[in-house]
Amino acid sequence: MKVSYYPGCSLSGTGKEYGESTVAALKILGTEAVELNDWSCCGASSAHSAGKEFAVELAARNLLIAQDAGLDDFVIPCSACFQRTKVAEYALKNHPESYPDLHYKGGLDVQDLLSFVYNKIGLEAIKKVVKKELNGLKAVAYYGCQSLRHPEVTGAKNYENPTQMDEILKVLGADVLTWSYKTDCCGGSLGISQPDILRTLVGKLYDKALEVGAECIVTCCPLCMANLDMYQDAISKKFNKQYNMPVFYFTELIALAAGEKDAVKWFKSHVADSVKLLKEKKLI
Amino acid sequence: MTETTENITAEKKAVFPQEKMENSGPVPENQTQVNTESYQLNNLTPFAESIIQVSGEKLNNCYQCGKCTAGCPITYAMDILPHHIIKMVQLGMEEKVLTSKTIWLCAACETCGTRCPNEIMLSPIMDALRQRALNSKYKNKIGEKATAVFHREFLSSIKSHGRVYELMMMAMSIMKSGNLINFILKFEWVSYLKLLFAVLPKGKMSLFPHNIKKKKEFKNIFKKLNNAQKV
Ligand code: SF4
Ligand code: SF4
């Protein structure tokens, strides 16, 4: 299967290992990710702050490139990019009169990567590629906000208690724990201008994950990853604790369980040490 | 159906007999007929009207249940609670709302909008208020300048390159945030510098911008922004 693939700015920057592990995991699962030609920034949270129609037009540019690419599935790993693209699609479908120059025919299936892997590839197919189960890895799945909300736009069904990532991780052999903070906000793009809010929200996520006995957090969003992975020193300082919480992308773990050699390289690029935990569990 | 749900349904039927509900006959003349319309605020202030128009959110339907505030992750840092913002917009309390921290601290997580019984999304309302604030006589009294600056720097970064140039965007947002003195005196820069040395060798932050090919086409979209939002 071939799908159109929009990496977005994060996946060529701070979320580089998400981009690489996405392409690798999809390849393992028999899907070729074809990068959109000359894609541009989706506008993220800054564009909608400045103007609703402006934000739609920025994200619509990529939607129209995907339409021209001619593949049925349009897959977006970054939750923020996914949400912005979905908002644009929703606007072009429901209010075409406001965007007379943008001709969106529809028929494109715009999906976040997690939903694509779960719905179109499926647990059975994932089970088949597992070579080395992630036995003993105690993990919580963290979904964040933007691939789910608002459900009318994203099409998410289980938006208060999503289980797709939990189910995938279980198939990989991980010990997936239940917690109540799957969809609580990490602070998103407030991280840079309001570091204290980021530290408070993320600190709470660590505490809640630790409370249920998790040794790591698994995410599907590069912004969540950046917020959860990069500021552990500052968060520890703020709360006078010593956090060292490995954070993974679910794609990295799919590839790891499938025996992908490159996986170690991705783990080494995390800011919080995730190699130590995987070595302890004899997974690398 | 399990036994318990059966019991509950039976109980419900006893309390709310379906037939009676459906065939309750014509409404007696002296009884006020309640429909959802009557919950709506009729005399909208011009301020509320303009926010409804820009955001597309029918905030006049809000009946102050507080569910938005109950689920909002940022309330602890806000100066006005989310449902109070809605009420104050309804009442036309322009200055208080436009100079508040809250409108800039909303993380657009959409928890509120997902749960609101009246289908009101607060994040587009906060966006409309931000735009209005920057366009108003209160533009020098922005409640959270650092966040306003961040969004501006983000947009100016993508306008120049078509994609965000993370390194420069972050540096500029910090420089222009108005908190630079604190940033230096409180040694915030130490943790950022450490971070920079942690991510640069891993190739996770590019030293140079990436430019898209059709920059002109992309830049044209920025003409849609009104004056106060221009970058
Ligand atoms: S949840 Fe909706 S109706 Fe309730 S207070 Fe908030 S905006 Fe108003
Ligand atoms: S969208 Fe804004 S107001 Fe609503 S819950 Fe999230 S942070 Fe709070």
Side-chain angles (χ1 to χ4, degrees), chain A residues 9-10 12-17 35-54 57-58 61 65 83-84 87 101 145-146 148-153 159-160 183-185 187-201 225 229-231 233-234 237 268-271, chain B residues 54-57 73-74 76-77 104-115 119 121 123-124 127-128 130-131 144 146-148 150-152 154-155 158 162-164 166 169-170 173-174 179 186-188 191-192 194-195 198-199 202-206 211-215 217-218 221-226 229:
Chain A
C9 304
S10 288
S12 29
T14 43
K16 198 167 160 235
E17 68 273 35
E35 186 169 328
L36 278 198
N37 187 22
D38 204 36
W39 56 267
S40 46
C41 174
C42 71
S45 56
S46 301
H48 67 75
S49 284
K52 201 171 169 179
E53 282 77 23
F54 165 68
E57 296 209 9
L58 281 188
R61 181 174 180 270
I65 297 176
Q83 191 216 41
R84 294 331 303 165
V87 168
D101 301 335
C145 310
Q146 304 200 309
L148 304 163
R149 293 188 290 261
H150 190 289
E152 193 182 324
V153 170
Y159 49 86
E160 292 285 8
T183 67
D184 272 42
C185 181
S189 70
L190 280 181
I192 295 167
S193 66
Q194 303 288 344
D196 202 63
I197 292 186
L198 176 143
R199 290 168 198 170
T200 307
L201 298 187
M225 177 68 160
D229 180 52
M230 293 194 341
Y231 306 101
D233 280 351
K237 214 170 120 198
K268 282 188 179 152
S269 74
H270 298 178
V271 175
Chain B
V54 175
S55 69
E57 296 300 317
I74 319 279
Y76 84 95
W104 296 99
L105 295 185
C106 166
C109 73
E110 309 257 24
T111 310
C112 52
T114 301
R115 296 175 182 171
E119 297 177 356
M121 291 219 272
S123 141
D127 288 341
R130 290 173 185 184
Q131 292 152 32
E144 282 295 342
T147 305
F150 165 78
H151 289 308
R152 214 189 156 74
F154 187 96
L155 290 180
I158 64 171
R163 294 182 192 169
V164 69
E166 284 173 322
M169 186 269 294
M170 285 173 86
S173 327
I174 293 168
N179 294 339
K186 288 196 180 161
F187 295 101
E188 278 284 335
S191 61
Y192 281 92
K194 263 203 212 152
L195 190 64
V199 295
K202 297 179 198 282
K204 290 177 76 163
M205 205 179 263
S206 167
N211 290 294
I212 65 167
K213 286 188 220 115
K214 293 188 178 158
K215 265 209 298 207
E217 172 191 300
F218 187 75
I221 306 175
F222 284 73
K223 289 188 183 140
K224 298 275 141 91
L225 288 172
N226 68 29
Q229 265 72 41

